Amino acid sequence: QFDKSKTKQWYQRRVRGVLNYYTNYYYKSNLRMSAPFPEIKSTHSLVAKYVTKEVWDKLSGITTKTAGFTLAKAIACAVDFDNQHCGIYAGDWDSYKDFAAVFDPLIQEYHGISADAKHTSDMDSTKITGNVNPDAPVHSTRIRVGRSIDGFGLSPGITREQRLGVEKLMKAAFAQFVDELSGKYYPLAGMDEAVRQQLVDDHFLFVSGDRNLQVAGMERDWPEGRGIFHNTEKTFLVWVNEEDQLRIISMEKGGDVLGVFKRLAKGIQTVGDSVKEESGKEFMLDEKYGYVHSCPTNLGTGMRASVHIDLPGWTANGVDTLKARCEELCLQPRGTRGESGGQTGHTYDISNKHRLGYSEVQLVQTMIDGVNKLYEEDLELQKKHGM
């Protein structure tokens, strides 16, 4: 005989079981109710374009697994400031995946890549042809990349424990460096004043106080877990836990770009091998976006290859014409005081414009060829202006 009461109890148990399952899934996936849509002060930023209310309502309740990051934290700079172009940072590798509805179109527009683009890395210095003309008035050469170790958060979201873990791992890695790369690590916490002053004089020290980095969450627990490594010759540096977990830098006086790149390639390989030996971990490398950085503008190679060069002819011709010419050559001119420091005299910082969509070898080759062309044209412009 059909027992209605037992059937009812069975269905009730099933319904409770299903409700419990989805309730647990809801909390385990770190989903929350969406937050109120923020006022984005940088109204012309890429964040303002791609963080619509619809997207916000869909993503603002998500918390990433590695660092507990949210979309609100990611876009804090675009919300707080009115002068941002991009206005977004990632707090961990998860951020690029969990908030892909914002990051993907923003990255594609900024870097000019297609939705199905793939990034290729190439550090083989033997593929580079030529070098900067030795007659060119180049003061110095500097090439840097960023790298992030898998399993740790990125600077805007990294936890205190993770940051200390990165530093501990790098201290062990630095101890393995030999020959031209061997040197010393200088932690910022408890730094001796004489050491600090020497690092300032060498232009090696990074400091606190950048409002963008502060609002983005990158100066939490300052200066703990941060430091600088440099080799004995002061031609190879690693910044630990600044804007990126690692900034790896090769530099020297003069215009031997090829030599600087070779040292950089060797240094990156050594850092990567040492980290893997110590921890089994590797650098975050995304098939689509290359090496993962906290700022999406640095995705891909994360490379900035630059020279400080005198260009008096271009200065006489007008800085705007130099900017236009650099654009044609896929280069970026800056004053020697940095991105926002302005221009003095006729010495310029000339670097590659692109990061993503090109290999490291391609970017260095573009910089070498472009600098040689600018120097050649500068000599003609000096004649034109009677210099």
Side-chain angles (χ1 to χ4, degrees), residues 5 12 64 67 108 111 186 214 253 322 340 370 376 380 382:
S5 63
Q12 286 174 338
T64 63
Q108 288 155 23
H111 291 281
Y186 301 89
Q214 289 173 338
K253 298 293 186 184
L322 173 60
S340 57
E376 178 186 311
E380 294 300 317
Q382 288 183 48

Side-chain angles (χ1 to χ4, degrees), residues 121-250:
S121 179
D122 187 357
M123 295 292 296
D124 185 355
S125 61
T126 64
K127 296 179 182 177
I128 294 174
T129 305
N131 205 346
V132 169
N133 188 330
D135 294 331
V138 175
H139 296 267
S140 60
T141 301
R142 181 180 187 270
I143 309 178
R144 61 87 165 159
V145 298
R147 289 292 184 270
S148 307
I149 303 166
D150 197 7
F152 298 97
L154 302 174
S155 190
I158 193 169
T159 66
R160 178 174 177 267
E161 291 72 24
Q162 289 171 352
R163 189 186 302 109
L164 291 172
V166 170
E167 184 187 39
K168 182 180 179 182
L169 190 54
M170 290 312 302
K171 283 180 178 178
F174 294 144
Q176 297 182 35
F177 289 7
V178 296
D179 301 328
E180 135 180 70
L181 298 180
S182 65
K184 186 177 179 181
Y185 177 69
Y186 301 89
L188 264 59
M191 181 176 284
D192 180 79
E193 176 57 28
V195 171
R196 190 198 69 82
Q197 189 58 52
Q198 185 60 57
L199 291 170
V200 168
D201 294 344
D202 290 332
H203 304 289
F204 291 171
L205 191 68
F206 61 89
V207 295
S208 64
D210 185 296
R211 287 291 296 141
N212 259 38
L213 301 189
Q214 289 173 338
V215 169
M218 298 192 213
E219 294 196 0
R220 291 166 297 126
D221 309 308
W222 183 276
E224 188 180 52
R226 299 163 172 91
I228 298 161
F229 169 89
H230 70 71
N231 67 346
T232 306
E233 290 77 22
K234 300 183 178 181
T235 56
F236 180 73
L237 287 76
V238 182
W239 288 359
V240 178
N241 287 321
E242 195 236 7
E243 183 175 330
D244 286 302
Q245 287 179 18
L246 305 175
R247 281 282 173 95
I248 305 173
I249 305 162
S250 178

Side-chain angles (χ1 to χ4, degrees), residues 18 45 71 78 82 101 127 139 190 197 205 214 216 223 235-236 261 273 281 291 309 312 322 324 333 356 370 372:
V18 170
S45 66
L71 184 59
D82 61 6
K127 296 179 182 177
H139 296 267
Q197 189 58 52
L205 191 68
Q214 289 173 338
T235 56
F236 180 73
F261 182 70
D273 290 346
K281 298 180 184 295
Y291 288 101
I309 182 173
L322 173 60
L356 180 61
N372 283 335

